[in-house]
Structures are given as structure tokens and as C-alpha cells.
Amino acid sequence: MFGFNTIAALAAVATSPAVYAVSSQAYIWKNVKIGGGGGFVPGIVFNPTEKGLAYARTDIGGAYKLNTDDDSWSPLLDFADDARWNYWGVDALATDPVQPARLYLATGMYTNSWDPNNGQILISTDYGKTFTSSQLPFKVGGNMPGRGMGERLAVDPNSNGILFFGARSGKGLWKSTNFGVTWTQVTSFPSTGTYIPDASDTNGYDSDKVGIAWVTFDKASGTSGSATPRIFVGVANKGWSNIFVTTNGGTSWTPVAGQNTTYLPHKGVLSPSEKALYVSYSDGAGPYDGTLGAVYRYDITASTWKDITPVTGEDLYFGFGGVAIDLQKPGTIMVAALNSWWPDGQIFRSTDSGTTWSPFWAWGVYPALNKHYSYSNSLAPWLGPNYVDTTAGNKQIGWMMESLVIDPLDSNHWLYGTGATIQGGRDLLKWDTAHNVSLKSLADGIEETAIQGLISPPSGPSLLSAVGDIGGFVHTSLTTAPKTSFINPTWATSADIDFAGNKPTNIVRIGTGDSTTGKQVALSSDSGATWAQHYGAADNVSGGKVALSADGKTVLWRTGSNGVQVSSNQATFTGVSTLPSSAVIAADKKSDTVFYGASGSSFYLSTDSGQTFSVKGSLDSSQYPVKIVVNPGVTGDVWVSTDKGLFHSTNSGTSFTAIPGVTQAWAIALGAPAKAGGYPALFAAANIGGIGYFRSDDAGVNWVKINDAAHGFGSASANVLTADPRIYGRVYIGTNGRGTFYGDANGSAPPTATATSSATSSAPSSSSTTKTRTSTSTSTSANPTGTAPGGAYSQCGGQGWTGPTTCVTGYTCAYSNPFYSQCIPS
């Protein structure tokens, strides 16, 4: 999964030192259930000595531990907060075969400028209940190309204090001899990797070296208590050696003779009883590419390679990713097509070391497929039909299948990760007899979605979500998975969603250009149960943010690349020249003709259904407004969050009051009041003496902090909020990788402490916490003198950006969010 708010975490904070006293209120936090999955699961690892112990890693949603009693998963990194948001990018995982309670995670989100932080190895000695961090002197890329290759991190099975880690970006191979506490580079290792997915990519995402792909110990080559002599390491190289071996524990290394150098080695899995190394290859690093590949078996004793690729000729149109061996049944191996996009994913199984293979599906009478499984999506019904779909083109088996494992202590138990979920079953041995196994979605607990928008209307379903990669949902229940995602039209990603204040069953949502139709606006009059295209939208205009007027007659759309547009009564959208293309927008919830906008320090008002806007008031020295929310019962009562704090107006923006103590604010929301007839509860992801999540019951005079040490919610600036207008205290937090959480107050609120500056505040009470944060703000610079225009798809703006702000011919600098703009085709 790609992070949809990648730069947002780099937002600046307070402009000067401040100390604030804010009380904390206990909250109960739970995931809004979609049944598990929603994104790419690049790695699943079983412990070889403790039965049922398994972990999964995701690219932007952290790591999870398997619960063997019900096959569900428990998240391990929900404590990651704004300062540790890149912990949710897990690039490698290792479970200790000697002391199974030990767990290691290599974390970091990006190796390019999107993430300014170096990576780290997270170390746990209690099965992931707690972690300590070992900082690395380079970046780690859990959401970079090649993130399904691996595992890059491995524990020596004979001397478990020794670990090896393969880095990206040309940083090479690293070793620890003290259980991951410190690391040194293995300077004798001969290759740091040469493969770059796209050297022309100017933003660094596809132009970085994929690096070391995997580390595999040959336990049988050594003895318990001493370092394992023989270790194989796979490297992302094409055209020359890409698998290296040491026979002296890493002192010296040589290329394995006779190896395939045409493709990239994705996985290297050792079968100890056979003394064989199985390697899957693809011509791309994945997870999206890969059109050719191979599978090889290396006989360690004879030092010979054998091509055991399951298919050839026109049947080979994909690379290979996941490889699994059955430790209980020597010679049993399974491999997965990395990217068989049509007619479905594919998995092959062999019980004779790859001499012969049987497939998961085969062609019947075209276009029907013969699929050798029964199927259940009962845990996540939105994945598709709850039966075996033999229609070509419906990827029920999956795609992006880099993780494929067989429980080393249970031959019937198998799992594999896809681009959307984890699947598998517990009767795998039937493959070899009846050739028909039970396949089931098994990602319950892995809520791995990037939430783009949330609404909680005053009637109908309590929550609707706009979601990256899987469209979005009507959540009629918070504890039961939805039966379907948004359909007709169907978009992989919904960019935003809004409801009409006076007619809340009327909903609008927008897509990002990834549907079968070019029109990216959809309307519903029945709370999202059914949808219709907005035919007034131009083809190939997409993304951005949307606001629906109070009676549902007018759609105001800040598009991703074509400025702000408006349509009333489903007429053709027309441009709104009086509102900047980067403006934050909102509709009044009472008056059908009133819309609001904010850009820079200016606040805009429209009283003619969004046709024209005029500057109404000022947001002090703000440069980056983030969100406008409107009191659902009072026209003109608006709140605006910005890089300089939180602002409130009761006169449609003519004047604003800066809320004391709030030095920066991102997502904000208004919910049910504490008392009937009272002012709505105000929620904010903000910096109020420290970055966190807060609630005020008196319009920002007093605040309580509502998140705790176990719930950091990742990057505050990347998340979205909405509050429930029917349940006091309930708030929904949509994260960039861990799905949506809902929180309810646990008991009565503590005595409130007014957020005031350090110059005037008194010492906190025993029920309060005091935090200090010092930082500086940054700003978008003008195009530096002499700087060439940005290249195709490169960054061209955003908070702190000092590079080019214009684009090469044929490309336009399109605003994405306050922290990132990109050169896209004009």
C-alpha cells in the first residue's frame, strides 16, 4: 500500500517554547472493523520452534502477532505517535528460533526525502508486548519498492545473539553480536545492490537502490552455541552475481557459482533436510511489477543449480515471489506468482522438490477456471463473493503475493499475504490428495487502510469512510465487517466524502482517477446505500476535497489538478476563479447557499452557492490552513485549524479568535455536546503542550487529552477526524495505515486545566500532565534563482520545500496537501 499522506508528518510545530498544563481523560479505543486487511502484507514469518507463533508485517500499518486460539491478529505498534510515525513501515521481521520471546523489526517508512528520519531495529523480549529501539545510521524503507523481498533481517539459529540485516540505498550488510543493540557494517560483503527501479524518478522513490534482499542461515552447517558458518545473502542485482555465500560466519564472501543473474532473487528459503536452497526470481522488485521470472533449487552438497520453474512459454507471464517449504515433509515446496494480474493469482505446489507441480487453478472451458479450493470471505465480506469465483479476471486468489508460509510445526496450516489481505487455511495436505483445500480470508485484526475522509451524519449510519486502495464503506456497525465497499461507481481510492447538513442522507464522494469511468464524483440520496455518477463532472478530473451544501443541491470541489469547481443541481462543473486552488473548503450545515474557504492567512466566504468567494477575515500569520469545521446548528460559526493554531469565528469569518495554548492544529471535528443544548464537543489533533488528541467541552477554553501511551495513531498531521453527533465523547480517528479507530470516554472527565502559555499558567494539578516542546516552523519558499523546473512527477511545493516550484513542459504543479505538491501531466 502506498501512504496517501506521506509528507504530512513533516509538518512544523510551535514557533517558540511553550509549556501547557492539560488534563488527561481515559478513553477506550477500538478499531472500526472491516474484517482485516485493506493493504499489502509483504511478510509473514513463523517461529520454527514454538508452535503457532507467527508475525506479519505491513508496509504502512505496522506489525501483528497471530492469536492461535481464533486465527486473529493483534497489533504490536499502536503506540507509534507523531515522533515515531515511521515505525508503521516494517521492512523486515525476525523471530528468534532459540528464545522465541525475542522479536526484531526493522522499521522506517521511506528512504527518500518523504521521511527525514533514519530507521531503527525494534527489539522485544516479550513477544512484541514492549520494544526498545536500536537506531541505525541510515534510512529504512518499509513502503519503498521491493518491500516484499526478504526477509532482510535474520537471527543466527545456533548463536542467537548474532543478527544480520541487509540495508537499502547502497548501505550494505550489517551485523549485531549483542541481540541487536548495536550494529556494525560487514565491510567484507562484496555488493550493496545495483538495481534501481527507475533511475529517472526525481523524487527518489523509484530511483533508490533496493539493496540487500534477504539473509538465510544454514543451521545444519554449524553447532549450537557457535556462530553459523554458512549464510546465504540475496542482493537486488541484475546482470551479475546476486546471491553470495559465506562459510566462515561472514568473514569472507563469494558469489554462488552457476546462479541465475537474469532476474532479481526475491526469496531464499532453505530446506535443511534436503540441504537445498530454493530461490524465487522476478524481473522487477515488486510489489506491482514483475512479468517474467523463475524458480531455482540449489543443491548445497553438490554445488549445483536446477531450474524448477513451474511453467514456461506463454504460460509464464509473471515473476515469482513467495516461497514456502514444509519442514515436516522434505521435498514439499510452494511458490506464488508475484503478479499474475489476469485471470487470477496463482500458487504452485510440489511434493518432489520441484520436479512436478500442481497449480491452484487451471483453465477449464474458456473463459471458465477450474479452481481447486472452497472459499470463505466471512471475516471480510467486502473482499468479494463468498463462493469460488471461476470468472476470469476476478482476482480471488490475490495479487502481490510475496509472503507465502507453511507452519513449520503443522503441515496443514498455511498463510499467504496479498495486496489486500491474508488468506490461507488449515487443511493444506488435502492439496496432495483431493487437490481441493479450504481457502479463507484470515486477516481479522489487521486493519491496514489509509483513511482519506470520515463523516458521521446526525442520522442514518454512524460512520462513512473514504479509503485508499479499497474505496470506502458505509459502516452500519462498528464491530461487524461491511458486506461491500462503495460500488457503482467503484474506485480503488475515494479521496473525500461529505454530507448535506439539512438532508444528511445526501452524500457526495470523489475518486482519484482509478475507475473504469473518467468521472470521479458520485452522489447518494440514501446514506450511501446506492450511488449515481455526477455526470456534470469532466472526465479525467479527480482527487482533492469536496463539500456538499446544506440541502445537497451544490457540490464544491477542490480538484486535485484543475482548481476549485462548483456544480449546482448536477449541472456541469465550472471553475471558481475567486478561490485559490489550494484552498481548504467547507459547506455551511444550515444555509444552502453558504460555503467557506481558507488559503494562507485569508478566510473566504461565498453566499451565492460557491459561485464567487471574497476574502472575509484573517487567520493571523497562518500559512497552511488544514481543516474547516462548521457548527451544525449555527450558520457562520466556524473553526479553522492551521500551522499557527486553532481559530474560531462566530460571524462567518469576519473576525477570528485564536484559541490560547494551541500552537498548531490539524484535523478537527465537532460532536455531540456534553449537555443537551450545550456547545458541541470540539476534538482536535493538535499541539497543546505536546502533539496529541484533545477534546474541549467549552469551545476551546479547557481541554483534556484523550489518547494515551498505547495509542499514538501515527502521524497526527496525516490523520482525519470526525465526531459522533449522537454520542457525547465519541470520536473517530482515521489513520494513514492502521484504519479507523473509535474512542469513547471511560468514566467522567478529570478536572480540566485551561491551556495557557507558560508565562501565565500555574503549576499543573496532580491529575494533569506537563509537556514541553521546542521547535521552529518552516515555510514554502519561492522558486530559488536559477533552479530548473521539476521533472515529471517530482515534488514542486509544500511546507519546508526549497526545490523547484515549476514543472517541465507538459506538467503542472498540483497541490496535494499543505506539505506536498507534485508535477503531474497537464
Side-chain angles (χ1 to χ4, degrees):
M1 174 182 287
F2 195 84
F4 287 87
N5 297 293
T6 53
I7 310 303
L10 311 186
V13 291
T15 58
S16 60
V19 178
Y20 304 110
V22 178
S23 300
S24 294
Q25 179 170 11
Y27 255 64
I28 296 174
W29 295 99
K30 297 179 181 179
N31 263 125
V32 175
K33 183 179 284 292
I34 66 164
F40 183 34
V41 182
I44 305 171
V45 178
F46 273 97
N47 187 282
T49 55
E50 183 170 322
K51 186 173 182 179
L53 179 58
Y55 300 93
R57 63 180 176 92
T58 67
D59 49 7
I60 66 170
Y64 300 79
K65 180 178 180 291
L66 179 66
N67 302 311
T68 55
D69 55 340
D70 62 359
D71 283 336
S72 66
W73 300 82
S74 294
L76 302 180
L77 299 177
D78 278 1
F79 64 87
D81 54 15
D82 200 76
R84 299 172 290 185
W85 65 276
N86 74 353
Y87 281 18
W88 282 357
V90 186
D91 205 17
L93 182 158
T95 174
D96 191 322
V98 180
Q99 296 174 289
R102 292 185 178 273
L103 170 68
Y104 302 88
L105 306 174
T107 65
M109 197 69 74
Y110 300 101
T111 60
N112 64 351
S113 61
W114 295 353
D115 185 349
N117 306 301
N118 284 337
Q120 51 277 312
I121 304 295
L122 299 183
I123 305 166
S124 176
T125 58
D126 54 10
Y127 297 98
K129 294 177 182 178
T130 61
F131 288 93
T132 58
S133 175
S134 173
Q135 295 299 303
L136 297 171
F138 49 80
K139 295 183 179 183
V140 172
N143 199 30
M144 294 293 288
R147 54 193 179 273
M149 301 176 74
E151 296 293 320
R152 300 168 177 265
L153 180 64
V155 179
D156 190 322
N158 287 308
S159 181
N160 65 317
I162 297 173
L163 293 90
F164 281 85
F165 174 62
R168 295 174 174 269
S169 311
K171 302 300 182 182
L173 183 67
W174 293 71
K175 180 180 181 180
S176 173
T177 58
N178 55 6
F179 297 95
V181 176
T182 60
W183 295 82
T184 57
Q185 187 170 4
V186 182
T187 56
S188 62
F189 193 75
S191 175
T192 62
T194 61
Y195 180 75
I196 296 173
D198 182 2
S200 67
D201 177 21
T202 57
N203 68 23
Y205 182 75
D206 281 312
S207 56
D208 192 29
K209 292 180 178 179
V210 173
I212 311 297
W214 45 265
V215 178
T216 300
F217 286 92
D218 181 4
K219 179 182 179 180
S221 68
T223 58
S224 177
S226 300
T228 299
R230 183 182 294 118
I231 311 167
F232 295 94
V233 175
V235 183
N237 289 329
K238 265 187 179 183
W240 70 295
S241 297
N242 51 44
I243 298 178
F244 299 86
V245 65
T246 178
T247 57
N248 51 27
T251 301
S252 60
W253 301 81
T254 57
V256 179
Q259 65 182 275
N260 183 303
T261 60
T262 302
Y263 305 123
L264 301 175
H266 273 241
K267 303 284 183 183
V269 180
L270 196 136
S271 177
S273 58
E274 296 180 89
K275 292 183 171 54
L277 178 72
Y278 290 95
V279 181
S280 62
Y281 294 91
S282 179
D283 61 354
Y288 310 110
D289 55 353
T291 57
L292 285 174
V295 182
Y296 275 74
R297 181 184 187 273
Y298 179 64
D299 187 315
I300 297 174
T301 302
S303 299
T304 56
W305 289 93
K306 180 181 180 181
D307 185 348
I308 58 170
T309 308
V311 290
T312 59
E314 64 180 13
D315 292 326
L316 182 59
Y317 51 87
F318 43 78
F320 293 90
V323 178
I325 61 165
D326 188 342
L327 290 178
Q328 304 298 312
K329 294 185 174 296
T332 296
I333 175 177
M334 298 175 70
V335 295
L338 171 59
N339 277 320
S340 175
W341 295 105
W342 190 92
D344 201 340
Q346 182 64 287
I347 299 174
F348 302 91
R349 180 175 169 93
S350 172
T351 57
D352 54 14
S353 303
T355 301
T356 60
W357 297 88
S358 60
F360 214 15
W361 64 265
W363 285 109
V365 178
Y366 185 85
L369 306 178
N370 294 326
K371 294 190 172 183
H372 303 298
Y373 57 84
S374 60
Y375 183 74
S376 171
N377 67 357
S378 58
L379 296 176
W382 54 270
L383 281 169
N386 196 33
Y387 55 84
V388 178
D389 190 341
T390 60
T391 304
N394 189 329
K395 293 179 286 295
Q396 188 173 59
I397 294 172
W399 62 95
M400 295 161 56
M401 295 189 293
E402 286 275 32
S403 50
L404 171 65
V405 289
I406 301 172
D407 188 332
L409 301 175
D410 182 354
S411 298
N412 269 314
H413 186 200
W414 70 303
L415 297 168
Y416 68 92
T418 76
T421 189
I422 290 175
Q423 301 197 129
R426 288 188 174 271
D427 59 359
L428 180 58
L429 290 178
K430 287 185 178 180
W431 189 308
D432 305 325
T433 54
H435 198 187
N436 194 78
V437 299
S438 301
L439 184 64
K440 186 176 183 179
S441 59
L442 290 171
D444 188 22
I446 298 181
E447 299 285 343
E448 192 211 347
T449 49
I451 309 301
Q452 306 301 290
L454 295 172
I455 57 172
S456 182
S459 62
S462 58
L463 184 70
L464 291 90
S465 59
V467 183
D469 286 345
I470 55 175
F473 301 95
V474 176
H475 301 274
T476 56
S477 167
L478 303 180
T479 58
T480 303
K483 292 183 179 180
T484 183
S485 57
F486 293 142
I487 58 174
N488 299 324
T490 299
W491 309 316
T493 294
S494 292
D496 199 19
I497 191 167
D498 195 21
F499 69 93
N502 293 332
K503 299 180 179 181
T505 59
N506 287 22
I507 313 287
V508 62
R509 63 181 168 99
I510 54 174
T512 60
D514 48 20
S515 71
T516 55
T517 175
K519 301 185 185 302
Q520 299 291 304
V521 182
L523 298 170
S524 174
S525 60
D526 54 11
S527 299
T530 61
W531 295 88
Q533 287 186 30
H534 190 310
Y535 287 98
D539 289 346
N540 303 316
V541 177
S542 64
K545 295 296 179 181
V546 69
L548 187 60
S549 68
D551 292 340
K553 295 178 181 178
T554 301
V555 177
L556 184 68
W557 182 17
R558 191 202 75 200
T559 69
S561 59
N562 287 48
V564 181
Q565 300 184 4
V566 67
S567 168
S568 294
N569 300 311
Q570 300 193 45
T572 300
F573 277 89
T574 58
V576 180
S577 61
T578 49
L579 193 60
S581 60
S582 62
V584 177
I585 59 174
D588 193 85
K589 293 301 182 184
K590 296 297 291 182
S591 176
D592 192 59
T593 61
V594 175
F595 285 90
Y596 308 100
S599 181
S601 62
S602 298
F603 186 82
Y604 295 79
L605 175 69
S606 172
T607 58
D608 60 0
S609 298
Q611 298 298 312
T612 61
F613 284 80
S614 59
V615 176
K616 192 70 173 177
S618 173
L619 299 168
D620 198 16
S621 60
S622 299
Q623 298 182 64
Y624 303 106
V626 179
K627 183 72 175 178
I628 300 172
V629 296
V630 184
N631 187 331
V634 181
T635 293
D637 186 344
V638 296
W639 294 81
V640 186
S641 58
T642 83
D643 59 322
K644 300 300 182 182
L646 182 60
F647 298 86
H648 183 210
S649 173
T650 58
N651 54 15
S652 299
T654 300
S655 61
F656 281 91
T657 299
I659 303 303
V662 185
T663 56
Q664 190 172 22
W666 297 280
I668 52 177
L670 292 171
K675 297 180 180 179
Y679 196 84
L682 172 64
F683 296 86
N687 190 336
I688 308 176
I691 296 175
Y693 298 81
F694 304 88
R695 190 192 76 238
S696 174
D697 295 338
D698 51 15
V701 176
N702 296 284
W703 296 90
V704 291
K705 185 176 181 180
I706 60 174
N707 68 305
D708 53 42
H711 299 91
F713 304 115
S715 171
S717 59
N719 294 342
V720 297
L721 298 183
T722 194
D724 199 306
R726 290 171 272 187
I727 302 175
Y728 164 68
R730 176 169 291 181
V731 64
Y732 306 91
I733 301 178
T735 69
N736 190 36
R738 270 287 288 126
T740 302
F741 288 83
Y742 67 101
D744 290 308
N746 185 20
S748 59
T752 55
T754 304
T756 55
S757 69
S758 58
T760 59
S761 64
S762 59
S765 67
S766 60
S767 62
S768 304
T769 56
T770 302
K771 296 186 179 181
T772 302
R773 183 177 178 91
T774 303
S775 186
T776 57
S777 65
T778 57
S779 62
T780 303
S781 67
N783 198 27
T785 302
T787 300
Y793 299 103
S794 65
Q795 184 174 356
C796 56
Q799 183 169 318
W801 176 244
T802 58
T805 56
T806 59
C807 303
V808 295
T809 302
Y811 288 79
T812 300
C813 186
Y815 174 91
S816 176
N817 59 52
F819 315 104
Y820 188 69
S821 297
Q822 185 180 39
C823 291
I824 66 172
S826 301

